[in-house]
């Protein structure tokens, strides 16, 4: 009898999967349509030109963001260009040769240098060596917060004490009080993996989110704090039942904030793509399958390396596995279709 019931449960689960999985794919692009870190329409042409060794479009784009004080876009584009220059840097070398004091060339050079230093076995020593480069980038564009975001990342890697970090933080927020990138850098410093705690991380993120102006990505900061907590727990596993209820509540509240932020943008918009990928990850970890599936629908084709690359060398594969896992879980949980008021199993 026990074996018969086990077989019936397995059959029922299979029927649910077959019946509901196609419906759950509505609004989800096929796997082959997913793009990892796809550029938006502004940075795309600059990257194409850089691939041909031409720096002028990148120079024009960054000059535009600097002159218009588009600090969030500037920060994002500097990081994208530095990532590209990591493996193909001839265009950046030409730019620096032609305009060694150009503030836009200097900021890309600085971002590239700090990325290379972070990946070096001699990280602290390499980071200390590029301190003057960060100073030069900040002096070249006095109103730009991006060099100060880099300085905050640099300070974390060089084991800066709290007072030194606070001095840099004051300089950053003086230039842009609600700059998302600077807040993310500060949140990392305050995380339990570095020089703070889960409580400090959540406190900082929640205060910043509460003060966020309309249109800001800052409401996603608590989700970043939740992710930092999850990352720490993966590195140093906790005993079952030892996670405090307050941290669970704050994690769910952080996910709710991020969901609300995501809802303010059109589906398939590349601008909030990283926030949506982060939100989907947190929701998956929390077992909130329906909410996670909705985020995957809103993401569309725009998968991002973060957060999936923190746990895998194949972030796109991790993204696709998570998306498929959510679909299958929801399909397995779906109730069997009623037939004249009776379940599929009735009468058997």
């Amino acid at each position: 009898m026990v074996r018969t019931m086990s077989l019936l449960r397995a059959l029922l689960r299979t029927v649910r999967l077959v019946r509901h999985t196609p419906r759950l794919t509505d609004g989800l692009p096929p796997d082959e349509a997913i793009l990892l870190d796809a550029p938006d329409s502004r940075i795309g042409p600059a990257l194409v030109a850089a691939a041909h060794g031409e720096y002028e479009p990148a120079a024009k784009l960054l000059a535009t963001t600097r002159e218009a004080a588009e600090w969030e876009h500037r920060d994002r584009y500097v990081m994208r260009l530095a990532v590209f220059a990591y493996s193909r840097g001839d265009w950046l070398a030409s730019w620096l040769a032609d305009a060694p004091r150009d503030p836009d060339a200097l900021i890309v050079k600085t971002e590239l240098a700090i990325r290379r230093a972070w990946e070096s076995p001699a990280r602290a020593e390499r980071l200390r060596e590029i301190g003057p480069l960060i100073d030069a980038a900040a002096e070249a564009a006095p109103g730009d917060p991006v060099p100060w975001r880099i300085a905050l990342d640099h300070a974390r890697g060089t084991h800066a004490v709290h007072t030194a970090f606070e001095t840099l933080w004051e300089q950053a927020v003086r230039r842009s009080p609600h700059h998302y990138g600077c807040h993310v850098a500060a949140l990392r410093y305050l995380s339990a993996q570095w020089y703070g705690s889960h409580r400090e991380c959540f406190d900082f993120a929640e205060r910043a989110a509460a003060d966020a102006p309309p249109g800001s990505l800052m409401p996603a900061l608590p989700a970043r704090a939740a992710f930092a907590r999850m990352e720490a727990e993966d590195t140093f596993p906790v005993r079952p039942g030892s996670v405090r209820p307050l941290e669970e509540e704050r994690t769910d509240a952080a996910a709710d904030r991020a969901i609300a932020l995501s809802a303010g943008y059109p589906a398939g918009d590349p601008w909030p793509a990283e926030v949506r990928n982060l939100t989907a990850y947190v929701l998956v970890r929390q077992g909130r399958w329906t909410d996670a599936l909705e985020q995957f629908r809103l993401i569309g084709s725009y998968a991002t390396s973060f957060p999936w690359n923190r746990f895998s060398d194949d972030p796109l594969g991790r993204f696709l596995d998570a998306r498929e896992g959510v679909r299958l879980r929801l399909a397995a949980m779906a109730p069997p279709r009623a037939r004249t008021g009776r379940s599929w199993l009735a009468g058997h």
Side-chain angles (χ1 to χ4, degrees):
M1 180 64 180
V2 173
R3 294 183 63 184
T4 301
M5 291 306 296
S6 297
L7 175 60
L8 286 173
R9 283 194 292 269
L11 290 172
L12 180 57
R13 183 174 183 275
T14 302
V15 169
R16 288 175 181 171
L17 289 174
V18 171
R19 181 178 294 155
H20 294 284
T21 299
R23 175 176 58 81
L24 292 171
T25 63
D26 292 346
L28 292 178
D31 288 1
E32 59 270 19
I34 302 300
L35 304 172
L36 185 67
D37 299 327
D40 66 23
S41 59
R42 295 178 72 185
I43 189 67
L47 293 173
V48 171
H52 292 90
E54 302 167 5
Y55 67 81
E56 289 82 4
K60 182 178 180 180
L61 175 62
L62 291 187
T64 298
T65 61
R66 175 168 45 82
E67 292 161 4
E70 296 179 304
W71 303 130
E72 302 293 1
H73 285 89
R74 179 175 177 80
D75 199 9
R76 184 172 295 190
Y77 296 152
V78 164
M79 288 190 281
R80 288 302 302 269
L81 289 165
V83 168
F84 189 83
Y86 194 97
S87 56
R88 302 188 64 174
D90 54 336
W91 60 277
L92 179 58
S94 297
W95 188 3
L96 289 164
D98 291 345
R101 299 180 184 275
D102 186 314
D104 306 315
L106 280 175
I107 195 66
V108 178
K109 178 183 178 181
T110 304
E111 175 69 19
L112 175 59
I114 198 168
R115 285 176 177 268
R116 285 178 169 159
W118 268 99
E119 295 183 8
S120 170
R123 182 173 66 195
E125 181 180 348
R126 290 284 303 277
L127 284 170
R128 282 191 289 271
E129 290 173 355
I130 63 176
L133 186 57
I134 298 173
D135 293 340
E139 291 169 3
D144 184 1
V146 179
W148 297 97
R149 188 269 300 162
I150 297 174
L152 292 171
D153 285 334
H154 177 263
R156 176 167 52 93
T158 54
H159 311 294
V161 298
H162 279 50
T163 52
F165 194 89
E166 287 169 5
T167 299
L168 296 173
W169 172 248
E170 290 172 3
Q171 293 294 329
V173 296
R174 185 180 301 172
R175 287 158 176 80
S176 182
H178 303 287
H179 187 264
Y180 181 68
C182 288
H183 280 75
V184 169
L187 188 147
R188 287 173 174 163
Y189 183 90
L190 290 171
S191 70
Q193 293 165 286
W194 289 94
Y195 310 109
S197 66
H198 296 324
R199 180 183 58 79
E200 289 175 294
C201 202
F202 271 114
D203 287 349
F204 173 81
E206 289 166 357
R207 283 196 300 268
D211 294 338
S216 169
L217 295 178
M218 299 277 274
L221 280 175
R224 280 267 187 173
F227 176 83
R229 171 202 154 194
M230 293 170 179
E231 194 174 23
E233 289 171 359
D234 287 341
T235 304
F236 304 102
V238 296
R239 297 188 307 276
S242 64
V243 177
R244 287 175 291 183
L246 180 58
E247 290 181 2
E248 282 294 312
E249 291 174 9
R250 296 180 94 169
T251 297
D252 275 325
D256 290 338
R257 278 186 189 267
I259 288 171
L261 172 64
S262 174
Y265 293 91
D269 187 339
W271 177 251
E274 185 177 276
V275 166
R276 282 173 168 163
N277 277 255
L278 171 64
T279 306
Y281 180 88
V282 172
L283 290 167
V284 168
R285 289 288 295 265
Q286 290 298 98
R288 295 174 56 174
W289 314 116
T290 301
D291 289 335
L293 183 64
E294 178 58 21
Q295 289 307 304
F296 282 119
R297 287 196 175 109
L298 291 171
I299 287 167
S301 299
Y302 289 95
T304 57
S305 290
F306 176 83
W308 314 104
N309 61 355
R310 291 298 193 273
F311 307 98
S312 172
D313 292 331
D314 178 17
L316 180 56
R318 187 67 180 263
F319 170 90
L320 294 174
D321 288 346
R323 191 176 71 153
E324 181 67 8
V326 168
R327 289 173 57 245
L328 292 176
R329 280 183 177 271
L330 284 171
M333 292 163 57
R337 183 186 302 168
R339 180 185 299 169
T340 63
R342 304 175 71 190
S343 74
W344 175 84
L345 191 57
H348 289 75

